[in-house]
Amino acid sequence: MADSNSSEYDLAPPPRGTPPPNRPPSSRPSDEGAPPPSGPRQPPKPLPRLSRMAATGPDDAGADAGAEGKPSRPTDAGSGRASRRDRNAERLARRKAGSAEEDDEPGNRTLATPTPTLDTVETRGRVRLILGIMAASAVVLAIAMIVRAVGGGGSADTADVYVIDSTQMFGPPAARARNAAEPTGGPAAEDAAQSLMARARSALTIQLAHSYLQRIVDGYPDTQAAATAREALDRIADRQPPFPDIPSLAPEVIVLAPAPAPAPEPDTAADRVVAPPPEPQPAPEPEPELVVRVLPNGFSPAPDAEEDSSGWPSRIVCDRDGMTMVLVPAGVYIMGRDGGPPSESPAHRVELPPFYLDEHEVTVEQFARYREALTQRGETVLPRPEELTRLGLTPRHPVVLTSAQEALRYAEWAGKSLPTEAQWEAASRGPDGLIRPWGAAPPPWPRQRTNRSIEPVRAYPADRSAAGLFDMAANAWEWTADWFEGGVYGARARFVAYNPGGPERPSSQPPRQTVRGSSPSHDLTYREGMPVTTRLPYLGFRCALNVEGLPIAGAGPRPAPTPVQGSPGAAPPPPPRQQPPQPQPPPPRQQPTTNPGTLVPF
């Protein structure tokens, strides 16, 4: 049996004469009293850990003794450590001598296992050091939290910062001034005052800033910082931030005693001043009404268009024929002239709403699109392409050989109309009523321009009106939408006609329609009547687009609102004027081939 004083794990020293594992061989004798070897000492190695299994026999000691043929020695309680060592040495020697028999024997077995690396004295010391540091940190953190909890309870603005006012620790500045004589002037006092001023500027609350400023005024009254502190205190009294560049300090949280009001001076009649009556303020101008302008279908603003004051774009493009149209603004324009032929006089004024007019005459190329569209519908279009080819016209020349009926059909196909005489003349003469686009001077042509000759459109930049329209004075004649009547201007001389059209009915047979432009003298007032079926090699047309109201055939003056009778401040009613006849609806338009004499251009 195992010794009662032996532990579960016993150390087994290596057999004598055999070096221990993982150690260099040593020549030290087995005698324990021998001196240690000289030389550098080797670092300690982990000792092997021994384990022992219980013996299966009835007597562990007897089996061991019988195996060697030696009687077992009695256990000496007083020398338990020496007996265990001798016993372990004997067991290890037996294992070396007969390992085979020892393996088969079911007796006690001793296993040697290495000691774990972490189970050392140095490792245990490091663990104790780390635990000590952690405990000290926890104590310091607990102390900091206690100090913060005891010193808290400030306002909402300083909940996260604990501020200690030095006045609470050392008393008010006046008491300190009595106890310790502080310098009130000189560089030292200025430096101290500036230091307090810096603290006041960096204060988190208005109360703390007020305390620092008051300390500067009381303790250092002769310094420059004291003057600045007095100004800051005055601003606080006026409910303003003490420092204008630091508006975050709210003076509302500090309550200061109001300054005593000055005694009222005695009121005398000589000192009494009568205030003048307030001047009448002009009535505010009403804001302009927002007007949304919508172009008809098939028209869109040009890429270079600008917005007019009326809200309409200055230039638009027609999707059908690709023509660019120019805006003619609303206004009062002059028609006719005094001293001219009877058909052109007298000069009179007309009022027109805004409208658009083609930038130049309809070209051969644009008329080809119209011919292709109507030919697909089975309709005949004049002139034919071979007729234009015989005249030597290019796609950029104005289309000619067109009758009034064909010009009307083209305008309807493009979603437009023919211009009235008033629209054509207003667009060519402009608001100044010029007799020619360039004025009264002779034509500024770079070369002689033969009358009734056809040139490509926009070939003469000088022939351009104030609105930006080309070839108004020369190039092809142009059809308009009005019936021709020589004395129509005389009836308009008494009033300003609003958006007038021509006569309601033709006054001649066959019916004649007005042709404008390309006069021998290039005058823009020239007008002539042509039968509606006329086709000439120098007669073309251009189209218009009405966006605000249609022309009125035989129009008279524009009606004005009449003030209510008996209302205060109402002007007397104007004298009655003869009202123009009401326009009658025109008869339905018929095909030109059946009855061209009944064609109505409105």
Side-chain angles (χ1 to χ4, degrees), residues 220-280:
Y220 311 98
D222 299 333
T223 59
Q224 184 178 359
T228 306
R230 293 188 187 94
E231 296 177 359
L233 291 174
D234 294 340
R235 282 192 290 267
I236 294 177
D238 295 338
R239 304 300 180 187
Q240 298 179 3
F243 307 104
D245 56 339
I246 308 178
S248 59
L249 292 178
E252 292 83 3
V253 299
I254 186 171
V255 179
L256 302 177
E265 298 180 358
D267 186 12
T268 60
D271 298 336
R272 197 175 299 132
V273 179
V274 179
E279 298 181 359

Side-chain angles (χ1 to χ4, degrees), residues 173 177 182-186 189-190 192-193 196 212-230:
E182 296 182 356
T184 59
E190 186 66 35
L196 291 175
Y212 284 126
L213 294 173
Q214 192 64 42
R215 286 178 56 189
I216 296 174
V217 173
D218 296 340
Y220 311 98
D222 299 333
T223 59
Q224 184 178 359
T228 306
R230 293 188 187 94

Side-chain angles (χ1 to χ4, degrees), residues 12 72 75 99 141 146 204 268 307-308 431 462 481 504 506 558 578 580:
S72 61
T75 302
S99 60
L141 182 59
I146 293 173
L204 298 179
T268 60
E307 185 177 355
D308 186 70
E504 298 180 24
R558 186 175 188 178
Q578 183 180 1

Side-chain angles (χ1 to χ4, degrees), residues 30-47:
S30 58
D31 189 5
E32 295 181 358
S38 62
R41 185 177 182 181
Q42 298 297 330
K45 298 295 182 177
L47 299 176

